Amino acid sequence: MAMASPDVYKLGFVGAGNMAESIARGVAKSGVLPPAAIRTSHHRADRQSVFQSFGVVILESSGQVVADSDIVILSVKPQVAKKALLELKPFFTDHKLLVSIAAGIKMKDLQEWSGHGRIIRVMPNTPSAVGEAASVMCMGDMATKKDEERVASLFKAIGKIWMADEKYFDAVTGLSGSGPAYVYIAIEALADGGVAAGLPRDLAHALATQTVLGAAAMVNKSGKHPGQLKDAVTSPAGTTIAGIHELEKGGFRGSLISAVIAAAKRCRELS
């Protein structure tokens, strides 16, 4: 029986920042596309050399990138997205797919600025740098099932991806977009607590980091509700319930809920 031929297409990046690098590295490393099928344009020498180091093709301009790509990932800062798309508008022919990871830029604006209807919007997050992104995508009206499959495969190369309506994207930003920062603070605070309880700083940091990683893996892999897992660790009149009591007195849950809501609200204001 003949094997299916691989789905090879050209992937271009408009913008060559850290997120673009993470996606390109993940795609190349996972074998979704060969590095020679990925392209971006001339940027600062340090960014250009980073992309060249793993085989990405460097072109003269963003216009050339769009012209020479089947899928174009817009990975510029939100404040320059309009200018970039207006300049690139002539290069977006019907067969091309525009994928925007520019935070807060709505589908209707992407369509207006690019003059293009075949669009998918994706919200990844910074753990993409270590292959553990939580990404969410929504489809434009003219995007096809094949487009969906290709974009899902690209972002599965850097973590996990879910589908959701665009109306949820501000909340997605508040939770998974900003959420890593909340967890970094929690890890730092746990480590500080360890130091306060007498642990050396390096051991406290290592234990806090691994504890958060392990707890997340337990939720992911066990299929159990976090509350059920919490109860399993919490014995009557024991050490854990004493610690949880302090968290509840400090409003730990409420603070996290408020943080997600505040970040989502700010995203709505900015967009």
Side-chain angles (χ1 to χ4, degrees), residues 7 43 52 58 63 69 74 80 96 110-111 115-116 137 161 169 191-192 195 197 209 218-219 239 256 258 264:
D7 181 24
H43 295 276
Q52 285 177 316
I58 307 296
S69 300
L74 180 71
V80 300
K96 298 183 186 297
L110 295 168
Q111 291 171 339
H116 196 59
M137 61 187 285
I161 186 163
F169 265 51
D192 285 346
V195 172
T209 303
M218 285 285 286
V219 175
T239 58
L256 286 175
S258 295

Side-chain angles (χ1 to χ4, degrees), residues 123-139:
M123 181 68 203
N125 65 359
T126 53
S128 62
V130 292
E132 294 291 348
S135 303
V136 179
M137 61 187 285
C138 68
M139 306 280 287

Side-chain angles (χ1 to χ4, degrees), residues 140-157:
D141 293 339
M142 295 179 66
T144 67
K145 185 66 177 176
K146 185 69 171 179
D147 294 337
E148 177 188 343
E149 291 170 355
R150 283 178 165 177
V151 171
S153 74
L154 292 173
F155 285 87
K156 283 178 182 175

Side-chain angles (χ1 to χ4, degrees), residues 86-105:
L86 287 174
E87 290 175 355
L88 296 171
K89 195 172 185 177
F91 300 98
F92 280 108
T93 54
D94 289 346
H95 81 278
K96 298 183 186 297
L97 172 66
L98 171 62
V99 178
S100 173
I101 60 171
I105 306 297

Side-chain angles (χ1 to χ4, degrees), residues 32-268:
V32 173
L33 288 175
I38 306 171
R39 52 259 301 110
T40 188
S41 59
H42 283 300
H43 295 276
R44 297 194 323 261
D46 59 331
R47 297 308 300 162
Q48 181 176 325
S49 64
V50 164
F51 280 81
Q52 285 177 316
S53 71
F54 57 99
V56 171
V57 177
I58 307 296
L59 300 177
E60 289 292 326
S61 68
S62 292
Q64 286 184 4
V65 170
V66 176
D68 194 41
S69 300
D70 302 298
I71 297 179
V72 178
I73 296 184
L74 180 71
S75 55
V76 299
K77 294 185 183 300
Q79 58 267 33
V80 300
K82 181 176 182 178
K83 180 176 183 290
L85 287 176
L86 287 174
E87 290 175 355
L88 296 171
K89 195 172 185 177
F91 300 98
F92 280 108
T93 54
D94 289 346
H95 81 278
K96 298 183 186 297
L97 172 66
L98 171 62
V99 178
S100 173
I101 60 171
I105 306 297
K106 299 285 192 285
M107 191 76 73
K108 63 180 178 60
D109 294 320
L110 295 168
Q111 291 171 339
E112 180 183 341
W113 300 338
S114 67
H116 196 59
R118 195 170 167 186
I119 300 174
I120 293 178
R121 186 179 168 199
V122 182
M123 181 68 203
N125 65 359
T126 53
S128 62
V130 292
E132 294 291 348
S135 303
V136 179
M137 61 187 285
C138 68
M139 306 280 287
D141 293 339
M142 295 179 66
T144 67
K145 185 66 177 176
K146 185 69 171 179
D147 294 337
E148 177 188 343
E149 291 170 355
R150 283 178 165 177
V151 171
S153 74
L154 292 173
F155 285 87
K156 283 178 182 175
I158 57 165
K160 295 183 178 180
I161 186 163
W162 292 266
M163 181 78 74
D165 292 339
E166 189 180 34
K167 66 183 180 181
Y168 297 120
F169 265 51
D170 292 331
V172 167
T173 300
L175 177 53
S176 58
S178 301
Y182 316 152
V183 179
Y184 301 148
I185 291 170
I187 292 171
E188 183 183 32
L190 284 169
D192 285 346
V195 172
L199 293 177
R201 169 64 66 181
D202 57 348
L203 179 58
H205 175 81
L207 289 174
T209 303
Q210 183 61 30
T211 297
V212 171
L213 179 65
M218 285 285 286
V219 175
N220 254 342
K221 295 178 181 180
S222 71
K224 294 179 180 178
H225 189 278
Q228 187 180 356
L229 293 170
K230 178 263 295 177
D231 288 349
V233 188
T234 310
S235 54
T239 58
T240 304
I241 193 62
I244 289 172
H245 186 204
E246 292 302 315
L247 291 177
E248 296 292 3
K249 285 196 293 184
F252 182 68
R253 294 175 198 246
S255 293
L256 286 175
I257 293 168
S258 295
V260 173
I261 292 170
K265 181 184 177 194
R266 183 60 178 152
C267 184
R268 280 192 293 275

